[in-house]
Amino acid sequence: MIYTVTCNPSLDYVIDVPGFAAGTLNRTSAEELYAGGKGINVSWVLHELGVPTKALGFTAGFTGAEIERRVREQGIESGFIQVPEEQGLSRINVKMRSAAGGETDSTTGNSVAGNIAATRLETEINGMGPRITENDIEQLKCRLSEVTPDDMVVLAGNIPASLPDTLYCELMELLKERGVPVTVDASGSQLNAVLQYQPFLVKPNNHELGGLFGVEITDRSTALEYARRLQQLGPRNVLVSLGSKGAVLVTEDGSSYEREARHITVVNTIGAGDSMVAGFLAGWLKTGSYETAFEWGVAAGEGCAASTGLPTGRALLAAGCVS
């Protein structure tokens, strides 16, 4: 079982607004509503790849109830902590797709210059979410006490302002004591803080990796160099996406892999980085091969970018996630 933790899940209201203009009336041409948040996205793709998964985190109010309903409707097991409504409501994030934009990283959604063409400009407005108390955090820790060394945990997304900056460190310490492998998909100081706990996998993009070392990373060779430097700080495996320049991986057995990006028409970047994490973990669990895990991760990210939403099992199969 892979448990995912989404500290601040959301309802993602995704709209198409052709010819969007600020300061005037605009109308949508299409609307979609999803249960969102990085951990939930990882659970979705894992489920589509046939990997048992359970989504954890915090929900509140009628929006939180709808998030949980949609997660269960997707066939994903839910273990969210329901916090009192007086602490706020689970957030609604508005994600607007409008006119054609530049070029976009198929695995992270970051704008890049290169060979992956974007077809839409995406604008996001994210809500705040509820206030989380120490009692809520203790309940989450209690849920994680169910996890065994045969399971995995994914901590996905940066920690919201309502939670202590030390939360991931606290969870990592708890899970390390239990011998549970943990993947962390965060950035900046929150990623840097957990490196000492030797996570199974971290997945920065080239900008996030460069930010940790104060350098600019624009090619796979440099990415491999700094991925190795990051690995020396604790993580067992480091997966880095570089947009149009592809992706690289350094592993705990001393191997390294790199791959160019494929030419694809990008129609969606929401959840592409989360799909990459899920594809990697699914490939590793199913085959025990880091090379295969790397290929699945890159393929899942590209499969998401080529889909209108999170990729289905069919889209993932077409992208190359096959055992």
Side-chain angles (χ1 to χ4, degrees), residues 184-204:
V184 180
D185 187 5
S187 61
S189 61
Q190 293 176 8
L191 172 60
N192 197 45
V194 302
L195 299 177
Q196 61 181 310
Y197 297 101
Q198 300 177 314
F200 171 75
L201 175 72
V202 296
K203 194 214 70 63

Side-chain angles (χ1 to χ4, degrees), residues 222-301:
T222 307
L224 280 170
E225 175 188 347
Y226 281 94
R228 292 188 183 100
R229 292 194 187 187
L230 182 61
Q231 188 184 42
Q232 292 172 1
L233 299 178
R236 292 162 55 186
N237 304 288
V238 180
L239 175 62
V240 185
S241 59
L242 293 95
S244 65
K245 302 296 176 63
V248 303
L249 170 71
V250 296
T251 70
E252 60 185 331
D253 63 8
S255 300
S256 63
Y257 305 93
E258 57 180 288
R259 211 196 80 170
E260 294 181 345
R262 292 189 304 160
H263 284 270
I264 63 172
T265 299
V266 176
V267 297
N268 166 65
T269 61
I270 299 166
D274 309 322
S275 298
M276 188 179 198
V277 170
F280 181 94
L281 296 178
W284 166 250
L285 288 175
K286 286 178 177 286
T287 70
S289 163
Y290 281 126
E291 183 175 13
T292 300
F294 178 57
E295 292 297 327
W296 278 40
V298 175

Side-chain angles (χ1 to χ4, degrees), residues 35-299:
K38 293 180 70 63
I40 290 175
N41 293 343
V42 172
S43 280
W44 164 280
V45 178
L46 287 171
H47 177 70
E48 291 296 302
L49 289 170
V51 177
T53 181
K54 185 173 185 177
L56 306 178
F58 306 102
T59 58
F62 75 97
T63 47
E66 180 63 10
I67 290 169
E68 294 192 56
R69 187 190 71 80
R70 287 175 176 267
V71 166
R72 291 192 297 268
E73 187 176 66
Q74 292 164 2
I76 299 167
E77 191 174 347
S78 168
F80 288 97
I81 311 302
Q82 298 178 0
V83 307
E85 191 165 328
E86 55 264 29
Q87 295 174 208
L89 298 173
S90 292
R91 59 189 178 149
I92 298 176
N93 294 339
V94 178
K95 302 179 183 293
M96 181 180 69
R97 300 183 294 220
S98 53
E103 296 191 327
T104 305
D105 179 346
S106 67
T107 56
T108 69
N110 294 317
S111 295
V112 297
N115 64 348
I116 301 178
T119 59
R120 300 172 184 174
L121 180 67
E122 296 181 356
T123 302
E124 299 187 28
I125 303 173
N126 289 350
M128 295 186 299
R131 177 175 54 87
I132 305 301
T133 67
E134 187 62 37
N135 179 61
D136 302 324
I137 294 172
E138 288 304 313
Q139 290 188 62
L140 175 60
K141 290 179 179 179
C142 184
R143 299 282 169 92
L144 288 172
S145 67
E146 305 171 2
V147 181
T148 73
D150 293 328
D151 300 314
M152 301 186 80
V153 172
V154 177
L155 305 177
N158 288 327
I159 301 170
S162 63
L163 288 167
D165 287 339
T166 58
L167 177 62
Y168 278 179
C169 291
E170 293 175 28
L171 298 181
M172 288 288 297
E173 187 170 356
L174 171 68
L175 294 165
K176 186 175 182 179
E177 289 175 355
R178 300 181 63 82
V180 179
V182 181
T183 292
V184 180
D185 187 5
S187 61
S189 61
Q190 293 176 8
L191 172 60
N192 197 45
V194 302
L195 299 177
Q196 61 181 310
Y197 297 101
Q198 300 177 314
F200 171 75
L201 175 72
V202 296
K203 194 214 70 63
N205 61 39
N206 58 312
H207 305 295
E208 293 164 343
L209 179 61
L212 291 174
F213 293 96
V215 299
E216 183 178 5
I217 297 174
T218 59
D219 58 77
R220 294 193 300 277
S221 176
T222 307
L224 280 170
E225 175 188 347
Y226 281 94
R228 292 188 183 100
R229 292 194 187 187
L230 182 61
Q231 188 184 42
Q232 292 172 1
L233 299 178
R236 292 162 55 186
N237 304 288
V238 180
L239 175 62
V240 185
S241 59
L242 293 95
S244 65
K245 302 296 176 63
V248 303
L249 170 71
V250 296
T251 70
E252 60 185 331
D253 63 8
S255 300
S256 63
Y257 305 93
E258 57 180 288
R259 211 196 80 170
E260 294 181 345
R262 292 189 304 160
H263 284 270
I264 63 172
T265 299
V266 176
V267 297
N268 166 65
T269 61
I270 299 166
D274 309 322
S275 298
M276 188 179 198
V277 170
F280 181 94
L281 296 178
W284 166 250
L285 288 175
K286 286 178 177 286
T287 70
S289 163
Y290 281 126
E291 183 175 13
T292 300
F294 178 57
E295 292 297 327
W296 278 40
V298 175

Side-chain angles (χ1 to χ4, degrees), residues 24-36:
T24 186
L25 175 65
N26 296 271
R27 298 186 185 278
T28 63
S29 62
E31 303 174 350
E32 298 165 300
L33 191 65
Y34 301 101

